[in-house]
Amino acid sequence: MKLLTPLLFIFAADSAVGFTSISSSSSQRRCASLLRSGNDDGVVSIDVSDLGLTIADLEKKIPTHNFSLESSGYQSTSRLPDVDDEGCYWVENPEDIDVTLRIPGLRGQPAEALNVLFSTTTTSITAFGRIVWSTIQMGISDTDDCSFLSLDGEDGIPIVGEDSIL
C-alpha cells in the first residue's frame, strides 16, 4: 500500500492541474502551492469557490438539442502491431456508427462476392461464403438495423461500408 500512495497523489495532482487550468489565476496559485507542499496523505483538496459553481449546477442534465457530438478516426485492420494501414475509417454519433473498410488482405476479391455478417458484438466479412476478416466491436449493435454495401475500389482493394445502429 505504501507504493500506491505516491502514484495516487501524482494522479490526483495531474487531475487538479488540468481542472484549474480553466479557472482563475488565484486558484492556480493555490493549486501550485498545494502541490509544492508535498501533502503526504495522498488527498488533494482544492478550493474552487471562485468558479461560482454549485452542486446543483453539476447535477443538471445537459440538453442534447444544444449540440451534437460526433467523433471519427482511422484504425488499422491488421493484427500486426507494427502495421498501421488505416484501413478502417469510422464516424460515430449517439445514434449510429458508420464504418468504411479498405482491407489490403482482400485485394483481388470482387465486391460482389463479399458479404458482411453482423452479431451484437462482432462483425465478419466473408468472400465466397468463407469468413476472411473479423473484428470485435467496442460496443453492442442492434443487428436488425445493420447494413452494408461493397464496391470495387482502387488498386483492387474492395471498399466495404457498414452502418450499425447503437
Side-chain angles (χ1 to χ4, degrees):
M1 189 65 178
K2 273 296 210 198
L3 180 64
L4 293 178
T5 303
L7 295 175
L8 291 175
F9 179 72
I10 290 170
F11 175 74
D14 287 344
S15 298
V17 171
F19 180 75
T20 57
S21 66
I22 61 168
S23 65
S24 69
S25 59
S26 64
S27 225
Q28 290 174 349
R29 283 193 297 273
R30 282 195 304 270
C31 179
S33 66
L34 174 67
L35 294 177
R36 282 192 298 270
S37 70
N39 190 350
D40 290 333
D41 62 2
V43 176
V44 176
S45 177
I46 299 173
D47 179 15
V48 292
S49 59
D50 58 332
L51 295 177
L53 293 174
T54 65
I55 295 295
D57 293 330
L58 300 175
E59 291 174 345
K60 287 181 185 174
K61 186 173 179 161
I62 298 173
T64 58
H65 63 276
N66 288 347
F67 61 91
S68 174
L69 181 66
E70 185 174 274
S71 60
S72 64
Y74 285 92
Q75 289 182 294
S76 178
T77 60
S78 176
R79 294 186 315 176
L80 303 173
D82 297 340
V83 176
D84 185 13
D85 61 15
E86 293 188 348
C88 175
Y89 175 69
W90 53 270
V91 178
E92 183 177 17
N93 61 48
E95 291 83 35
D96 70 351
I97 183 167
D98 296 320
V99 178
T100 302
L101 297 169
R102 293 192 77 241
I103 304 169
L106 295 179
R107 184 180 312 275
Q109 301 296 328
E112 296 83 15
L114 299 179
N115 192 10
V116 178
L117 305 174
F118 295 99
S119 76
T120 55
T121 57
T122 63
T123 302
S124 298
I125 296 178
T126 66
F128 296 102
R130 300 189 76 169
I131 295 176
V132 293
W133 186 85
S134 193
T135 186
I136 299 173
Q137 299 171 182
M138 292 184 188
I140 296 175
S141 296
D142 181 358
T143 57
D144 294 334
D145 290 324
C146 295
S147 61
F148 82 96
L149 172 68
S150 60
L151 305 167
D152 289 320
E154 295 178 17
D155 300 327
I157 300 174
I159 300 170
V160 179
E162 302 174 14
D163 182 33
S164 300
I165 307 297
L166 303 175

